[in-house]
Amino acid sequence: MKFAVISFPGSNCDWDMYYAINDALGQEADMVRSDETNLDQYDGVLIPGGFSYGDYLRSGAIARFAPAMQAVKKMAEAGKPVLGVCNGFQILVEAGLLPGSLQNNTSMEFISDWAPLKVVNNQTMFTNGYAKDETITIPIAHGEGNYYCDDETLKQLQANHQIVFTYEDNPNGSRNNIAGVTNQAGNVLGMMPHPERAVESILGGTDGLTLFKSILNQVRS
């Protein structure tokens, strides 16, 4: 399986994602510039964390206009896996590929810590390797990770089982403890925690590696 890791000006977790795929998962990943317009050769796309375009205007608000995002939308429409982590989640929301918005943490402080998460839905291409309601531990590092959506959107997320991860101890004020959601089709996942930073024991844990293995499980099945 071959992944594209989209690197925007200001991305700083792109190499973490690259090594997670190439070294820990044992699959192929290319670093792809944000001005690339064709991703047809890839089986999946990964949008990493960081501060794309300096987070000017609003996190992800400028990155959504990068040429690569048109190619990402094409992949999403084709049903290929699209994963956005942290700033990648913010970009997917700004691009309209996921519902809701990401606001400042209620503490108004940047948070860097390990966070226990509940796997709410293990029937997705990103979570089929986890047990239902399993608690996993994944690092977080963000200042704008407070997920918000209106009442109607929340009802739709719940009805369509699009809430994939919730925080066990909500660190940022996210509505209904939401840490990660998919699109209605289930092939686009955005999440604030960083699975690519939990793929080897030497990093402190391997719970994140299961997410990437789940994508492989889906493709091979």
Side-chain angles (χ1 to χ4, degrees):
M1 192 169 183
K2 189 173 184 179
F3 293 89
V5 178
I6 308 298
S7 182
F8 299 87
S11 294
N12 65 6
C13 301
D14 41 2
W15 287 107
D16 293 345
M17 195 72 84
Y18 174 89
Y19 288 118
I21 298 301
N22 282 286
D23 293 352
L25 188 64
Q27 298 296 304
E28 186 177 358
D30 289 341
M31 194 68 74
V32 177
R33 289 168 51 105
S34 59
D35 57 1
E36 177 60 57
T37 59
N38 188 337
L39 300 176
D40 290 349
Q41 64 178 304
Y42 298 103
D43 305 303
V45 63
L46 309 170
I47 304 180
F51 303 91
S52 59
Y53 300 93
D55 277 353
Y56 291 119
L57 298 181
R58 190 173 60 249
S59 298
I62 298 177
R64 63 169 289 195
F65 295 107
M69 289 308 298
Q70 291 303 314
V72 170
K73 289 182 177 179
K74 182 180 176 182
M75 293 184 72
E77 291 169 359
K80 293 183 178 180
V82 176
L83 171 65
V85 171
C86 198
N87 190 224
F89 186 10
Q90 296 161 340
I91 293 169
L92 291 176
V93 167
E94 290 289 340
L97 289 172
L98 290 172
S101 65
L102 279 307
Q103 303 178 341
N104 287 321
N105 299 339
T106 50
S107 65
M108 297 300 289
E109 294 181 349
F110 188 91
I111 302 171
S112 180
D113 204 347
W114 288 78
L117 310 176
K118 181 178 179 179
V119 181
V120 178
N121 181 0
N122 71 336
Q123 301 297 309
T124 78
M125 67 168 62
F126 305 96
T127 56
N128 58 65
Y130 298 109
K132 170 71 172 157
D133 296 332
E134 178 179 350
T135 297
I136 61 175
T137 305
I138 304 286
I140 58 172
H142 57 252
E144 299 173 36
N146 178 1
Y147 182 81
Y148 175 78
C149 62
D150 59 27
D151 292 344
E152 184 61 29
T153 301
L154 180 61
K155 289 180 182 177
Q156 293 174 358
L157 291 175
Q158 293 170 328
N160 296 326
H161 306 289
Q162 291 173 247
I163 301 172
V164 176
F165 297 115
T166 57
Y167 297 107
E168 295 280 24
D169 183 14
N170 192 339
N172 51 32
S174 288
R175 183 154 196 196
N176 280 48
N177 304 319
I178 291 173
V181 298
T182 66
N183 63 344
Q184 191 166 349
N187 66 304
V188 179
L189 169 65
M191 59 189 295
M192 290 310 297
H194 288 263
E196 79 281 5
R197 296 183 183 176
V199 295
E200 295 180 280
S201 297
I202 196 172
L203 297 176
T206 60
D207 285 347
L209 183 59
T210 304
L211 185 149
F212 298 109
K213 287 183 175 179
S214 294
I215 300 174
L216 284 184
N217 293 341
Q218 180 76 21
V219 171
R220 289 169 176 169
S221 64

